Amino acid sequence: MGNLLCCVQVDQSTVAIKEQFGKYQDVLQPGCHFLPWCFGFQLAGHLSLRVQQLDVRCETKTKDNVFVNVVASIQYRALADKANDAFYKLSNTKGQIQAYVFDVIRASVPKLNLDDVFEQKNEIAKAVEDELEKAMSAYGYEIVQTLIVDIEPDEHVKRAMNEINAAARMRVAANEKAEAEKILQIKRAEGEAESKYLSGLGIARQRQAIVDGLRDSVLGFSVNVPGTSAKDVMDMVLLTQYFDTMKEIGASSKSSAVFLPHGPGAVRDVASQIRDGLLQASVDH
C-alpha cells in the first residue's frame, strides 16, 4: 500500500538510500517519506546505524614457534553523516574488516613470545583498532571497540604449560612443607632442651634436699647421743637405706632377681666403698 501511495517508512536507528533513475539522491532519516516512483525515485536499500559485532578467529605463530588461535571481537557501526559512503563503497563490510584484522594480528604476534602475547593482548587489540579506524573511516564506518577475547595455543602446548605450572606449584608446596617440618623440629628440640633443663634443676634440688636432710640427721643424732661420731651416724644411715632398698626390691612383683652380697659385714663393705669413692674423687679434683 505504501508503494502505491508513494510513501515509504524508515525505521529507527536505520537510514534509507534514495535514488532517482539509479543515481544517488539523498539519505532518508527515520520516519515517513514521500517517494513518487513515477518520477524515477526509488529506495536503493537500508543501512543500520546500530553497533554490530564481528568475531574474527586468526591462526598465527609466535616468536617461539607456537601456533595460536587469536580471537578478536570488533564492534563497529555506520556513520549517519557518511551513510552514502558506507552503502556504496563497500560490498562486503565484514570481509574487509576481517582482512585488516588478519593483517595486523599476523604482523604483531610473530614478534612476541607466547607468554608476551598473553601479557600484551591489550596492546595487540589497540593496534588492530587503530589500523581499522584508519582504514574504515574512509568507508563511512566507525570502530567502537576492539577486544582480544581469547588466545588459544595448540592443545599439546596448553597441556605442557599446565604441567609446568603444576610442577612449579608442587615445588613451592614442597618448600613450604620442608620449612614447616624444620620449624617443628626446632620447636621440638627447644622443648626437649627446656624439659631436660627443668629436670636437671629438679634432680639438683632433690639431691640438695637429701644432703640437707642427712646433715640435719647427723647433727641431731650427735647431739642427742653423746660419744657418737659422724662416721657412726653415716654407717647407720647407710644401713637403714640398705634395708629399705632390699624391702622395696622384694615387694615389687615385676622386679627381676638381684644378687647382692648379704650379711652383717656387707653393709660395712658398702659404706667403705662409698666413702673410698668420695675420698678418691676429692683427691682427683
Side-chain angles (χ1 to χ4, degrees):
M1 181 66 68
N3 290 334
L4 293 177
L5 297 177
C6 299
C7 292
V8 294
Q9 174 183 314
V10 180
D11 296 333
Q12 185 65 35
S13 299
T14 305
V15 293
I17 305 300
K18 174 184 175 183
E19 293 180 347
Q20 184 178 23
F21 296 115
K23 181 181 178 181
Y24 167 74
Q25 192 74 31
D26 196 8
V27 176
L28 303 181
Q29 301 299 323
C32 183
H33 299 271
F34 179 68
L35 209 66
W37 55 270
C38 57
F39 293 104
F41 292 104
Q42 65 176 359
L43 286 183
H46 293 80
L47 184 67
S48 175
L49 301 180
R50 295 173 181 173
V51 175
Q52 303 179 62
Q53 179 168 312
L54 174 64
D55 291 332
V56 181
R57 177 182 293 271
C58 176
E59 184 180 16
T60 184
K61 187 176 71 170
T62 63
K63 186 177 181 180
D64 47 354
N65 296 322
V66 177
F67 282 93
V68 294
N69 283 311
V70 180
V71 181
S73 180
I74 314 298
Q75 297 175 356
Y76 65 99
R77 66 181 174 189
L79 297 173
D81 56 343
K82 294 184 177 181
N84 59 329
D85 291 336
F87 186 82
Y88 287 108
K89 287 187 176 181
L90 283 180
S91 61
N92 186 356
T93 305
K94 293 183 178 180
Q96 186 81 358
I97 292 175
Q98 188 176 36
Y100 281 109
V101 172
F102 280 172
D103 181 64
V104 175
I105 290 179
R106 287 175 176 168
S108 302
V109 173
K111 300 177 182 178
L112 304 172
N113 291 324
L114 180 60
D115 292 339
D116 296 333
V117 173
F118 283 96
E119 293 176 1
Q120 299 183 28
K121 69 184 188 70
N122 291 335
E123 286 79 359
I124 297 173
K126 186 68 170 60
V128 173
E129 183 174 340
D130 292 344
E131 186 66 24
L132 283 175
E133 185 69 36
K134 215 167 28 172
M136 299 303 294
S137 61
Y139 300 111
Y141 282 92
E142 176 191 9
I143 304 301
V144 178
Q145 193 171 19
T146 301
L147 302 171
I148 301 297
V149 296
D150 198 8
I151 299 172
E152 299 178 356
D154 181 76
E155 189 63 33
H156 298 292
V157 176
K158 191 185 298 185
R159 189 180 303 113
M161 291 174 65
N162 290 335
E163 290 176 356
I164 292 172
N165 189 30
R169 292 181 182 274
M170 289 178 65
R171 184 166 60 252
V172 172
N175 290 336
E176 294 294 334
K177 183 179 179 182
E179 190 66 24
E181 291 179 353
K182 175 184 175 183
I183 294 173
L184 286 175
Q185 291 177 1
I186 292 174
K187 293 299 182 183
R188 191 180 297 115
E190 290 177 352
E192 291 178 356
E194 184 69 18
S195 176
K196 290 178 180 179
Y197 173 73
L198 295 176
S199 177
L201 287 179
I203 293 173
R205 289 172 182 172
Q206 179 187 18
R207 291 175 178 175
Q208 184 63 41
I210 292 173
V211 170
D212 292 342
L214 288 174
R215 185 179 62 248
D216 293 341
S217 297
V218 170
L219 292 176
F221 197 87
S222 299
V223 172
N224 294 326
V225 183
T228 58
S229 64
K231 175 180 177 300
D232 297 331
V233 176
M234 287 302 299
D235 289 341
M236 185 173 293
V237 171
L238 288 173
L239 180 63
T240 304
Q241 292 293 328
Y242 178 80
F243 282 114
D244 287 343
T245 302
M246 294 296 294
K247 180 180 177 182
E248 290 178 3
I249 292 174
S252 177
S253 60
K254 296 182 179 179
S255 62
S256 303
V258 178
F259 296 94
L260 294 173
H262 181 64
V267 178
R268 184 174 298 277
D269 294 338
V270 172
S272 300
Q273 292 175 9
I274 293 174
R275 282 195 302 271
D276 294 342
L278 293 174
L279 290 173
Q280 184 65 36
S282 299
V283 172
D284 292 340
H285 287 289

